[in-house]
Amino acid sequence: MMNRPGALLAAALCAAVPLVGGLAATDAAAQAKTSVVIGMTLEPPHLDPTAGAAAAIDEVVYANLFEGLTRIDESGAVRPALAESWEISEDGTTYRFTLREGVTFHDGASFEAEDVVFSLERIRAEGTENAQKDLYAAIESVEAEDARTVVVELSQPQGDLLWRLGWGDAVIVDPASAETNKTDPVGTGPFAFDGRVQGDLIRLTRFEDYWGEPAALERATFRFIPDAAAQVAALLAGDIDAFPNIGAPETVARFEADPRFEVAVGTTEGETILSMNHRRAPWNDVRVRRAIQHAIDRRALIDLAMIGFGTPIGSHFAPHHPAYIDLTDTAPYDPEKARELLAAAGVETPIKAVIKLPPPTYARRGGEVLAAQLKAVGIELELVPVEWGQWLAEVFRDPWDFDFTIVSHTEPLDIGIYARADYYFGYDDPDFQAHIAELEVEAEPERRQELLVEAQEMIADSQVNGFLFQLAKVGVQAAGLEGLWRNAPIQANDLTAVRWE
Amino acid sequence: MRPLLRPPTRARLARGRRHPSFAIGGALTILMLGAAALAAVWTPHPIDGVDPLARLAAPSLAHPLGADHFGRDVLSLILAGAQTSVTVGLIAVGLGLGVGAPLGLAAAMRRGRPLDAAIGRTTDLIFAFPAVLTAVLIAAVYGPGAINAIVAIGIFNIAVFARVARGAAIGVAARPFVAAAAAIGRTRAQIAVIHVAPNIAGVLIVQATIQFAVAILAEAGLSYLGLGVQPPQPSWGKMLADAQTYMFSHPLQAVFPGLAIMLAVLGLNLFGDGLRDALDPRLKTLRLG
């Protein structure tokens, strides 16, 4: 540890004379660290959060590079961002946003109401690349009343519009730079893009003209290390300051015992599920799906694949959400029951099936454990490891070539995916679709709560997929690094409050 | 007529048995083959079950080598892993021997002709890429799996055996008895099969033991990278990969699969050495000299 008066003196010098900050930084002994290296397992394919579903994009740019009208904070609450305040009409269909003043983009362009109109119109435009365009389908028109006021009209009331506008998919971009954001992102956030080495890292530097509280860090680097063992080595070597989501949960004990590191275990929005292809028999038979759920010992799965990190779920809903109900007893572990149900459904065992496993630990290891558990009831899985690109092309999109897959759905409050008949697992239930449509327009909190509870029960009763566990966020960071999120209410590595003690 | 390598007479094999590396290598190889054969019919514990209670258990009477991170018996996995290694190794080497040796023989009989050049340049091309790189390429195109691993290792072996067979056959073809056979009107094909092939068999057998070891190492390497046999089929390389993140907390996890690979490869190399010495005393003298 450095001596405190020295650090304070150095900090005072830097604050007083920003220009010599760079020189002082070379005097490491007297200088508090102002940069951080964050490790991530997956590399983002590009850096435009409005044009891709990859969580890794938001994990680099959310709140750091790009901002929306609102933002979601560590607790999951909605806070004002580029909109200073807003008024909502009585009927819930008109939102009047007052925009913040003195905001500039990283390239010097000023932020105006027209940028908001452009960004929101772009989500809804024909041929949009936006991965979450359904979230904003209720928006009917966006108009700039004056340079600081934007009016959004909805076709129907939407209880959680402000929360939806806080997603990375709805960040505000400048028309002049919108097309090049994939490679050269320009936003309004406290950090500006400072270069990328493909396959290795992305650099950010503090944006000095930021409208709000400036970031404590001068520089931030995101490094991408897919291999779990290499992640551990990089942390131990000090090459990485923090790994907010470590790939190998079994190494956590080692870091907990080491005073140089801190371990932070929190929650994510990731419902980890055994997705079943409803377009293929016999998985479209509810008895077969229920049999599979009965064959799964969730506790053993979590203990073996995730070293105990994770919470069993019985439906597609996060346990920390206020509307959550525990449905894990809908089809508890009971191999005998599973065999009976399979026989009742006329399935001849042993039956073979293909499970495609994307790279994360929960899928690859989870797949091995599930293969053992399902084999015990006569379902023999062929484990096929796939890369994410392959997974997206073969499983997530047409031709939906899979029987099973394991994936963690990390978007928050995403039970609505079960109302999309064209979604990859192909669950097509008009009753559930009507239910979600009702939820969409419901603004009254208590009724919304009821509808959410019923939605959980409906998909648990139909046993749409195998519901496994809520993914935990297991992070390891160097001691003294403060301000990283413990929980992940949205896909993000928000660095705005990160500093070294 | 004196063959390049003499057929293994009883006396020569007896000399080989006294050779320490032959004895040790032979014992290790028999152990490996025995383990593979045993695993085909029986393992102490099932290898496709998981047991949370036995997770990372230390060696005990129930689990002589402990249990892995899924609570599976390590001894059973090692035995079944031997089966995987031996199967992949035998098929890959068989492929190499079956395809490569005739090609090499043909090239030698057509020495200096376009066929020889074509085979020679093709093997050069295969050797230009390390075996693992070829395997990664095949896995990238056709997906990871046991069959692709065998094909990848097999292709490399074809090139090896083609070269070895060609070199040895050229040596044999220059001998007077081959000229005599030609003089009495034997066709080139007859000469190759009747006179040359038996005389290069010893060299090929020795080479096969070495390639067998290489194949086991390659299979372990591919499975370590996740490109070889897929779970739940056990593999020593996959076991090693799984053990990697447990190195600090449970080092034994890596020790047993590591030892298995080492002993198998060591055994085959020693056995090959001993076999060569037994089959070719001339070479031994040369080496000692």
Side-chain angles (χ1 to χ4, degrees):
Chain A
M1 282 304 285
M2 74 177 62
N3 67 39
R4 197 148 290 275
L8 282 176
L9 182 64
L13 276 173
C14 288
V17 197
L19 281 177
V20 299
L23 294 175
T26 57
D27 186 5
Q31 173 67 40
K33 209 172 158 187
T34 57
S35 66
V36 70
V37 182
I38 304 285
M40 283 169 55
T41 303
L42 292 175
E43 182 178 14
H46 61 77
L47 292 171
D48 185 351
T50 67
I57 301 173
D58 284 305
E59 284 166 8
V60 172
V61 305
Y62 189 80
N64 300 327
L65 270 170
F66 287 106
E67 295 170 306
L69 289 176
T70 60
R71 60 159 298 178
I72 294 164
D73 70 11
E74 187 184 354
S75 68
V78 178
R79 288 214 324 238
L82 292 178
E84 210 167 55
S85 60
W86 47 80
E87 287 163 29
I88 307 170
S89 67
E90 282 284 308
D91 65 354
T93 58
T94 307
Y95 285 68
R96 183 183 303 273
F97 292 97
T98 305
L99 306 182
R100 213 170 280 278
E101 267 182 305
V103 177
T104 51
F105 283 95
H106 300 147
D107 62 358
S110 65
F111 162 74
E112 281 155 11
E114 283 307 324
D115 299 324
V116 177
V117 175
F118 171 79
S119 300
L120 297 185
E121 291 286 356
R122 191 161 159 261
I123 297 175
R124 309 180 311 116
E126 194 80 13
T128 177
E129 283 184 280
N130 200 293
Q132 301 293 346
K133 56 178 188 287
D134 292 355
L135 285 182
Y136 313 101
I139 297 178
E140 202 162 62
S141 74
V142 186
E143 272 167 42
E145 224 170 55
D146 58 54
R148 281 193 65 205
T149 314
V150 170
V151 178
V152 176
E153 294 279 356
L154 304 183
S155 55
Q156 57 188 35
Q158 194 159 57
D160 56 3
L161 180 78
L162 292 170
W163 177 75
R164 292 179 184 212
L165 288 173
W167 282 46
D169 304 84
V171 296
I172 304 304
V173 298
D174 187 23
S177 50
E179 292 311 312
T180 53
N181 276 342
K182 283 184 179 174
T183 51
D184 188 12
V186 174
T188 57
F191 290 94
F193 178 66
D194 188 27
R196 166 174 195 173
V197 180
Q198 201 86 27
D200 186 13
L201 55 82
I202 289 170
R203 273 191 220 96
L204 310 182
T205 50
R206 184 161 65 196
F207 177 47
E208 299 301 339
D209 293 331
Y210 183 57
W211 57 267
E213 171 113 8
L217 297 169
E218 282 172 18
R219 282 186 312 280
T221 307
F222 287 92
R223 280 195 59 194
F224 311 106
I225 305 180
D227 181 67
Q231 292 175 1
V232 173
L235 275 164
L236 289 174
D239 294 342
I240 301 266
D241 296 315
F243 235 105
N245 272 306
I246 193 123
E250 66 273 18
T251 59
V252 164
R254 194 210 177 287
F255 287 111
E256 269 173 339
D258 190 330
R260 292 176 298 158
F261 298 97
E262 277 167 22
V263 173
V265 180
T267 57
T268 73
E269 297 299 319
E271 292 84 14
T272 310
I273 58 173
L274 172 72
S275 299
M276 309 188 202
N277 192 346
H278 288 244
R279 294 179 183 89
R280 283 189 187 173
W283 324 122
N284 52 3
D285 184 331
V286 64
R287 290 170 299 181
V288 175
R289 297 197 300 267
R290 192 166 290 138
I292 290 169
Q293 186 72 70
H294 279 300
I296 298 170
D297 181 352
R298 296 187 185 94
R299 198 65 253 175
L301 174 72
I302 295 168
D303 285 349
L304 290 173
M306 306 308 290
I307 325 300
F309 294 109
T311 311
I313 52 172
S315 186
H316 195 102
F317 215 74
H320 51 264
H321 192 281
Y324 172 79
I325 49 164
D326 185 352
L327 292 166
T328 49
D329 278 339
T330 310
Y333 176 55
D334 185 350
E336 198 46 50
K337 187 87 183 285
R339 277 186 287 264
E340 281 168 25
L341 278 166
L342 283 175
V347 172
E348 284 204 21
T349 51
I351 179 173
K352 289 192 188 305
V354 171
I355 182 165
K356 295 209 168 163
L357 303 171
T361 307
Y362 65 73
R364 293 280 167 90
R365 279 204 202 143
E368 284 191 65
V369 176
L370 279 183
Q373 293 183 349
L374 293 187
K375 186 161 185 199
V377 301
I379 300 170
E380 291 180 2
L381 297 185
E382 182 194 341
L383 283 71
V384 179
V386 291
E387 295 305 314
W388 274 118
Q390 244 179 314
W391 186 86
L392 286 171
E394 296 171 7
V395 177
F396 194 66
R397 302 198 188 107
D398 199 352
W400 304 294
D401 180 17
F402 70 107
D403 292 310
F404 303 118
T405 185
I406 301 179
V407 72
S408 201
H409 286 258
T410 52
E411 288 85 4
L413 202 60
D414 54 357
I415 198 165
I417 58 178
Y418 287 77
R420 297 190 204 165
D422 62 350
Y423 207 53
Y424 75 99
F425 42 75
Y427 175 60
D428 190 357
D429 175 4
D431 287 346
F432 190 78
Q433 286 154 17
H435 189 84
I436 290 295
E438 191 185 343
L439 175 71
E440 286 278 297
V441 298
E442 184 58 60
E444 205 269 306
E446 267 174 41
R447 178 67 190 138
R448 277 185 69 82
Q449 193 96 346
E450 279 171 32
L451 290 169
L452 283 171
V453 167
E454 282 164 29
Q456 294 171 60
E457 288 167 344
M458 286 169 87
I459 60 164
D461 285 340
S462 308
Q463 203 61 65
V464 182
N465 288 312
F467 301 109
L468 307 177
F469 56 87
Q470 192 73 18
L471 195 65
K473 180 164 144 58
V474 183
V476 176
Q477 61 189 62
L481 188 65
E482 302 282 328
L484 277 170
W485 287 8
R486 177 175 285 267
N487 300 320
I490 193 157
Q491 300 150 346
N493 286 307
D494 180 355
L495 301 179
T496 51
V498 172
R499 61 181 70 241
W500 289 93
E501 272 283 286
Chain B
M1 75 185 202
R2 182 180 169 273
L4 193 65
L5 282 184
R6 288 185 208 164
T9 61
R10 192 173 297 242
R12 246 177 249 122
L13 280 180
R15 187 168 60 231
R17 274 199 291 278
R18 284 195 302 274
H19 197 293
S21 67
F22 183 82
I24 297 171
L28 285 173
T29 304
I30 289 168
L31 188 68
M32 175 184 69
L33 295 174
L38 179 66
V41 290
W42 177 82
T43 52
H45 292 265
I47 50 163
D48 52 11
V50 293
D51 180 3
L53 296 177
R55 185 175 172 268
L56 296 168
S60 63
L61 274 180
H63 299 289
L65 303 183
D68 79 346
H69 61 298
F70 289 156
R72 296 174 299 194
D73 181 49
V74 171
L75 178 62
S76 305
L77 290 174
I78 295 271
L79 292 177
Q83 195 191 350
T84 303
S85 289
V86 168
T87 311
V88 171
L90 280 182
I91 299 177
V93 172
L95 197 68
L97 197 59
V99 179
L103 281 177
L105 197 55
M109 300 312 290
R110 285 274 177 188
R111 194 179 174 194
R113 300 294 187 80
L115 178 70
D116 184 23
I119 292 172
R121 297 300 80 76
T122 310
T123 56
D124 284 348
L125 191 70
I126 293 172
F127 278 123
F129 295 95
V132 170
L133 195 65
T134 315
V136 169
L137 198 72
I138 289 177
V141 177
Y142 298 103
I147 293 183
N148 292 335
I150 288 172
V151 169
I153 302 168
I155 287 177
F156 184 74
N157 273 317
I158 290 174
V160 170
F161 282 104
R163 277 224 176 151
V164 171
R166 179 181 177 274
I170 284 172
V172 173
R175 301 178 80 84
F177 70 88
V178 174
I184 61 165
R186 297 265 200 213
T187 65
R188 202 179 270 118
Q190 282 174 324
I191 292 173
V193 174
I194 299 169
H195 297 287
V196 182
N199 284 296
I200 63 169
V203 178
L204 293 177
I205 290 170
V206 171
Q207 190 65 38
T209 60
I210 295 166
Q211 289 312 116
F212 196 2
V214 171
I216 286 178
L217 216 47
E219 187 280 317
L222 287 175
S223 296
Y224 173 83
L225 295 172
L227 302 171
V229 298
Q230 291 302 316
Q233 175 69 39
S235 154
W236 292 340
K238 171 75 164 56
M239 289 175 77
L240 215 46
D242 286 340
Q244 202 172 1
T245 47
Y246 292 97
M247 278 292 279
F248 297 110
S249 54
H250 301 83
L252 273 185
Q253 291 288 316
V255 167
F256 293 117
L259 267 181
I261 296 171
M262 196 197 82
L263 291 178
V265 172
L266 182 72
L268 281 165
N269 276 317
L270 289 177
F271 183 60
D273 263 4
L275 205 58
R276 180 168 51 199
D277 292 350
L279 297 182
D280 185 5
R282 205 168 46 109
L283 201 62
K284 186 182 177 186
T285 341
L286 277 178
R287 272 156 52 109
L288 288 174

